Amino acid sequence: MTEPKKLFIKTYGCQMNVYDSERMAEAMGGKGYVQTDTPDDADMILLNTCHIREKAAEKVYSELGRYKGLKADKPDLKIGVAGCVAQAEGQEIMRRQPMVDLVVGPQSYHRLPELEAKAREGKKALDTDFPEDDKFETLKNRPKAKRGPTAFLTVQEGCDKFCAFCVVPYTRGAEVSRPAGRIMDEARELVERGVRELTLLGQNVNAYHGHDKGLGGLIRDLAKIDGLERIRFTTSHPNDMDDDLIAAHGDCEKLMPYLHLPVQAGSDKILKRMNRSHTAEEYLKLIERLRAVRPDLHLSGDFIVGFPEETEEDFQDTLNLIKAVEYGSAFSFKYSERPGTPAAERPQVSEEEKDDRLQRLQALLKEQQKALQDAMVGREVSVLFEKTGRMTGQMVGKSEYLHAVHVEAEGIAVGELAKVRIASSGPNSLKGVLLP
Ligand code: 5AD
Ligand code: SF4
């Protein structure tokens, strides 16, 4: 028997890239590749890249530089760049870094096996099309290996919102939803393979329209699958939160009480310039409606500080919005100019100002996050166990609010759901005791 070829994938960026990397590994599995966790013994290296913020392309070029020695020792080694930097830079990558054999955009990675074959013939292979064929269908025949208890499932891709700072509508293209029937099939298959919790992914997941009742309808159908215990979804836009999806947070038990709902800024002037098409007030009203149906809902958000022409007063509006919401977790970034996006043309805020605002914003978010985590002490939560802890007899899982929870428990298995009483709150996780 011949040795299987080895594939090393390095994933940058969002959860959708994590999902895409899994699918790329599966596509290459069909060609006899197995995954390896080091580039040193790989026959093929793929960088699955992200273009959302600054220096993304530079990071990719410097990472590629590190593989020069490997390629010199092993001329058969094939190197590919996938994902959003591949989409944005295209041919330029091979021009700047001639050792790259193939470049594949996020919409064409189902063509990876053909591209690899072309690269093996010594040719350069590039595909950054937005093809008509359905990449998910082409990748359907995945190996049926056992899976861990949690999985991502892409239901929607692309974005039509064109926020003034964002490259996603250009790199991932227009909004496309996968048909509900196909998602149901994939979900059932994942559950058969051991998955208990699904996170539905989309750049604008709540704009999903592959089901006649939208994302809420899809979630309610998924909830009927026996063995599937938990459903989450990310990332949402406030304007696509329809009545049924809001209601599902109150009446669909399997939908977890944690919602990532980015607002980006709290000043109406900045929101308008960001082309967000909603005001701070409208966002707060929406949160109120969600909390009316699910009072314990934990909220998470994304924030950008130092958007062009943001004043200290505008920034204070963002802090005030954060105070009004009380987030359970959040991601925050300094605005970074993305070539080709409208905001890149506007007068920029100084780097020092951005640094200072980011620090102040993160201090507030950290305080809120800690307060909400500490408030879990004494409460009963449900935990889905995902792995064994570093100490013997310790298990680690996630609560419904996405807090990491450690318990000392013999005999509990990965994939089990159990009730836990929270006993203490540490820097990044909770500790609890298993309830009978
Ligand atoms: N600069 C800073 N942050 C950005 N994001 C998107 N584009 C930019 C940019 N140009 C952030 C937004 C988005 C998250 C995924 O990344 O907050 O919600
Ligand atoms: Fe980017 Fe999200 Fe705005 Fe779409 S909605 S343009 S993905 S920030």
Side-chain angles (χ1 to χ4, degrees):
M1 231 177 83
T2 51
E3 273 278 295
K5 290 205 279 284
K6 292 196 175 135
L7 171 66
F8 173 71
I9 305 184
K10 184 164 171 137
T11 307
Y12 299 81
C14 65
Q15 291 151 328
M16 196 174 287
N17 267 10
V18 175
Y19 177 86
D20 287 351
S21 291
E22 283 171 13
R23 306 299 301 255
M24 286 195 264
E26 284 160 2
M28 295 310 289
K31 291 207 74 182
Y33 275 87
V34 294
Q35 260 183 293
T36 168
D37 49 16
T38 152
D40 301 334
D41 63 352
D43 298 284
M44 182 168 174
I45 295 175
L46 267 179
L47 301 184
N48 191 10
T49 60
C50 170
H51 201 237
I52 196 99
R53 280 172 293 275
E54 218 169 18
K55 302 198 186 104
E58 292 317 309
K59 265 194 236 158
V60 172
Y61 288 117
S62 78
E63 183 69 21
L64 286 168
R66 287 196 214 164
Y67 300 142
K68 265 206 180 110
L70 286 176
K71 183 100 171 172
D73 293 345
K74 195 177 191 180
D76 266 357
L77 169 67
K78 297 296 166 203
I79 297 183
V81 179
C84 294
V85 173
Q87 189 66 42
E89 298 264 301
Q91 202 96 48
E92 174 68 10
I93 299 180
M94 288 166 171
R95 203 189 57 74
R96 269 188 64 178
Q97 200 47 277
M99 69 178 193
V100 172
D101 302 287
L102 66 92
V103 171
V104 59
Q107 299 309 331
S108 16
Y109 62 71
H110 54 303
R111 296 182 179 163
L112 202 53
E114 295 156 45
L115 296 170
E116 189 260 2
K118 199 169 163 194
R120 291 262 161 238
E121 286 167 19
K123 296 180 194 145
K124 296 279 179 195
L126 171 104
D127 193 336
T128 51
D129 289 350
F130 286 93
E132 288 293 307
D133 46 333
D134 182 341
K135 68 178 175 191
F136 298 108
E137 273 304 281
T138 324
L139 291 172
K140 205 161 75 176
N141 298 320
R142 311 190 290 170
K144 306 277 185 274
K146 184 129 179 60
R147 303 251 336 198
T150 63
F152 296 129
L153 204 173
T154 293
V155 304
Q156 181 280 341
E157 268 189 285
C159 183
D160 298 340
K161 297 284 188 286
F162 290 92
C163 297
F165 49 82
C166 185
V167 287
V168 167
Y170 312 97
T171 56
R172 290 274 176 168
E175 278 175 14
V176 180
S177 297
R178 294 176 68 193
R182 292 192 190 149
I183 294 165
M184 292 298 292
D185 289 345
E186 191 173 332
R188 282 191 205 96
E189 192 209 292
L190 287 165
V191 171
E192 275 166 31
R193 291 163 64 190
V195 171
R196 296 282 162 270
E197 174 180 306
L198 276 179
T199 302
L200 309 179
L201 298 181
Q203 263 95 31
N204 221 322
V205 72
N206 57 342
Y208 176 77
H209 52 74
H211 187 289
D212 56 359
K213 296 204 177 86
L215 186 66
L218 178 69
I219 289 171
R220 291 176 197 282
D221 282 356
L222 286 166
K224 292 182 196 138
I225 299 179
D226 280 340
L228 179 62
E229 306 296 344
R230 293 173 151 193
I231 302 168
R232 304 181 187 277
F233 62 91
T234 194
T235 291
S236 296
H237 190 288
N239 291 359
D240 291 316
M241 224 54 217
D242 66 26
D243 292 348
D244 184 51
L245 186 55
I246 295 174
H249 285 84
D251 60 35
C252 180
E253 250 179 59
K254 291 186 181 177
L255 182 58
M256 292 294 103
Y258 178 100
L259 176 64
H260 183 64
L261 194 61
V263 64
Q264 315 294 355
S267 137
D268 287 342
K269 177 192 98 188
I270 295 297
L271 286 169
K272 198 166 168 55
R273 291 186 187 175
M274 284 179 163
N275 193 30
R276 290 289 294 178
S277 315
H278 61 76
T279 62
E281 186 62 29
E282 281 161 352
Y283 178 82
L284 291 172
K285 283 255 154 63
L286 177 59
I287 304 283
E288 229 171 78
R289 287 182 65 200
L290 284 154
R291 284 193 166 140
V293 296
R294 188 75 210 225
D296 61 339
L297 186 70
H298 270 219
L299 279 148
S300 152
D302 289 343
F303 297 92
I304 296 178
V305 298
F307 184 80
E309 299 165 284
E310 182 190 69
T311 61
E312 175 61 26
E313 200 184 338
D314 296 322
F315 173 66
Q316 288 297 332
D317 287 344
T318 302
L319 295 181
N320 288 335
L321 178 140
I322 292 172
K323 285 177 194 153
V325 173
E326 295 190 45
Y327 287 91
S329 76
F331 303 89
S332 47
F333 316 98
K334 289 190 281 181
Y335 169 73
S336 77
E337 280 172 71
R338 310 310 292 131
T341 59
E345 313 293 322
R346 310 290 307 164
Q348 303 294 314
V349 172
S350 76
E351 211 45 39
E352 296 73 49
E353 201 63 60
K354 286 187 202 169
D355 279 330
D356 176 60
R357 288 180 194 168
L358 188 67
Q359 274 187 24
R360 287 187 280 153
L361 181 107
Q362 290 187 339
L364 173 62
L365 287 168
K366 204 170 153 194
E367 202 181 286
Q368 289 193 342
Q369 194 169 333
K370 183 164 176 354
L372 277 177
Q373 198 189 290
D374 291 350
M376 299 308 296
V377 176
R379 281 184 55 183
E380 184 184 313
V381 295
S382 91
V383 175
L384 175 63
F385 289 99
E386 294 179 17
K387 55 184 184 199
T388 51
R390 260 180 295 163
M391 323 261 229
T392 6
Q394 210 184 51
M395 293 292 293
V396 189
K398 296 267 166 61
S399 76
E400 52 273 66
Y401 309 104
L402 222 48
H403 287 127
V405 180
H406 295 246
V407 296
E408 311 284 339
E410 297 290 349
I412 195 151
V414 166
E416 253 178 77
L417 256 175
K419 292 271 173 231
V420 169
R421 170 98 48 216
I422 301 302
S424 64
S425 169
N428 296 308
S429 64
L430 297 165
K431 272 205 183 111
V433 263
L434 217 51
L435 290 173

